Amino acid sequence: MLIVLHPDVSREAQAVIEGRVRELGFTPHAISGAGRTAIGITGNKGPIDPGHFRELPGVADCIPVTAPYKLVSREVKHEDTVVDVAGVPVGGPDLVVMAGPCAVESEQQILAAARGVAASGASLLRGGAFKPRTSPYDFQGLKQKGLELLAKARAETGLKIVTEVKDTETLGTVAESADLLQIGARNMQNFSLLEAVGDLRKPVLLKRGMSSTIKELLMAAEYIVSRGNKQVILCERGIRTFETMTRNTLDLNAVPILKRESHLPVIVDPSHGIGIRSAVLPMARAAVACGADGLIIEVHPDPDRALSDGMQSLNLAGFEKLMREVERIAAAMDRAMHRVARA
Ligand code: PEP
Ligand code: MN
């Protein structure tokens, strides 16, 4: 249930309402929207009698919430959530592009990538330091050293950092360096990890599991938001289908459905979504055209020598071209490209 408060409700009255929710054994979640605050309730197994709240001072309305993913649903918050990634607004009017290599490989590689993607207009630098790989014999990432190199690239370029957190053991270390914590497709239903990032107050990029439904993605986001971390960005990155000509099938259907069902920002990863370098640009254009709030793109200064995902990585010139073309699609959608102010 959603308790809608009067616009001029006092702090005391709100505290009484929240206290009543707790007395009933449930959890209140304050949700601020334009010009009004509401209290979402979780923890109830069935419908709650609105009679518990209707007569309390400050209560304007009690509305049942039908979606199972309550706090992330549009039912509880009509306005779009804008996630603030260290000053970069994701989910607002501007399109945000995150770009960089699949993995941080060396100082020279990450600095070249960072300088290149910054010059083309990216706002965030991506790069895995802790890599979850299908084979234990594949490059597992530079780990702590990789985080230090990302921090160095941030200091030089002003780009904010998005990097993957692979497990709860390394979460503390990764959270110290990252501006945006990426939860990878393979971890979308790692509930301990979802709960642990839900306890932090740092933005999270939640990637859709490769065999997960849209509803499961929203339920995974609910795990994070129900612990109090409201800063979640959803990412469509392709799903497994019967198709074998592409690495995954980029499910752009998910974009309008997620935007309809949830107030959270939605970005698209066409690199993993199709897995073929020459096809990343057209799918990036399509993602923006169907309403994505941003893109995450794999870019490597020398893709043919990349230690992971070279087949789908653009070189710096390819990324520059992508940015120019995507900007035109964004303009057709009445959106500008977010730019980082540089000294
Ligand atoms: C990545 O971003 O490099 C990655 C491993 O992505 P995903 O979790 O979507 O496979
Ligand atoms: Mn990758």
Side-chain angles (χ1 to χ4, degrees):
M1 182 194 294
L2 186 71
I3 306 173
V4 181
L5 306 183
H6 281 300
D8 53 359
V9 66
S10 68
R11 266 173 206 274
E12 294 71 27
Q14 185 173 337
V16 170
I17 299 162
E18 291 177 356
R20 180 67 59 87
V21 174
R22 286 196 194 90
E23 272 166 40
L24 291 165
F26 310 138
T27 310
H29 303 263
I31 300 158
S32 324
R36 73 155 209 207
T37 299
I39 296 172
I41 302 179
T42 60
N44 52 304
K45 297 281 174 286
I48 304 173
D49 178 1
H52 290 297
F53 309 103
R54 255 212 182 110
E55 301 308 320
L56 293 178
V59 173
D61 202 2
C62 295
I63 304 169
V65 176
T66 54
Y69 34 85
K70 298 179 184 206
L71 300 174
V72 305
S73 76
R74 284 256 183 225
E75 285 182 74
V76 306
K77 183 167 177 270
H78 186 68
E79 302 91 31
D80 290 340
T81 287
V82 181
V83 173
D84 177 358
V85 181
V88 177
V90 183
D94 292 355
L95 193 78
V96 172
V97 178
M98 315 178 183
C102 179
V104 183
E105 299 170 4
S106 67
E107 176 164 344
Q108 190 203 16
Q109 174 248 18
I110 195 66
L111 288 179
R115 289 175 192 137
V117 302
S120 299
S123 299
L124 272 86
L125 175 67
R126 63 149 289 148
F130 292 88
K131 293 297 300 176
R133 300 305 302 279
T134 301
S135 165
Y137 307 118
D138 286 342
F139 177 56
Q140 305 285 313
L142 296 182
K143 306 193 166 95
Q144 177 65 38
K145 176 76 185 154
L147 296 176
E148 287 160 22
L149 294 176
L150 285 168
K152 190 163 184 179
R154 171 176 49 204
E156 189 191 302
T157 60
L159 292 172
K160 305 304 172 194
I161 301 298
V162 51
T163 193
E164 180 160 357
V165 51
K166 194 160 76 66
D167 46 45
T168 49
E169 288 75 15
T170 51
L171 173 58
T173 325
V174 177
E176 271 175 38
S177 306
D179 299 298
L180 177 60
L181 291 166
Q182 175 177 331
I183 303 239
R186 291 155 192 80
N187 264 321
M188 191 205 82
Q189 287 188 318
N190 178 339
F191 299 112
S192 313
L193 187 56
L194 297 177
E195 287 173 358
V197 297
D199 290 336
L200 300 181
R201 294 295 172 267
K202 182 150 276 232
V204 177
L205 176 64
L206 180 63
K207 298 189 87 176
R208 179 178 179 183
M210 59 188 86
S211 302
S212 300
T213 63
I214 295 171
K215 182 174 169 187
E216 285 164 341
L217 172 60
L218 290 166
M219 295 306 295
E222 187 78 8
Y223 262 86
I224 302 171
V225 176
S226 65
R227 310 283 288 204
N229 188 351
K230 299 177 181 170
Q231 303 275 88
V232 178
I233 301 166
L234 305 171
C235 180
E236 167 57 43
R237 51 76 73 204
I239 52 174
R240 279 204 170 147
T241 65
F242 50 77
E243 184 53 67
T244 55
M245 299 271 274
T246 54
R247 181 177 178 182
N248 289 294
T249 295
L250 184 62
D251 181 19
L252 290 181
N253 289 354
V255 177
I257 302 302
L258 288 169
K259 296 294 294 181
R260 181 192 74 195
E261 291 297 306
S262 175
H263 51 84
L264 296 175
V266 178
I267 73 162
V268 169
D269 173 350
S271 307
H272 292 86
I274 195 156
I276 300 165
R277 192 182 300 160
S278 61
V280 170
L281 170 52
M283 297 316 287
R285 288 194 306 247
V288 175
C290 74
D293 296 302
L295 296 168
I296 181 163
I297 308 283
E298 286 190 337
V299 181
H300 193 289
D302 188 359
D304 294 331
R305 288 194 180 73
L307 297 183
S308 62
D309 286 351
M311 291 256 292
Q312 66 195 34
S313 299
L314 303 181
N315 64 17
L316 294 173
F319 180 66
E320 165 68 26
K321 181 170 184 315
L322 178 144
M323 289 298 276
R324 271 190 273 118
E325 295 201 12
V326 158
E327 193 158 21
R328 292 173 60 200
I329 305 289
M333 303 292 295
D334 286 331
R335 299 182 94 147
M337 190 76 84
H338 181 267
R339 301 272 179 199
V340 179
R342 270 173 241 287

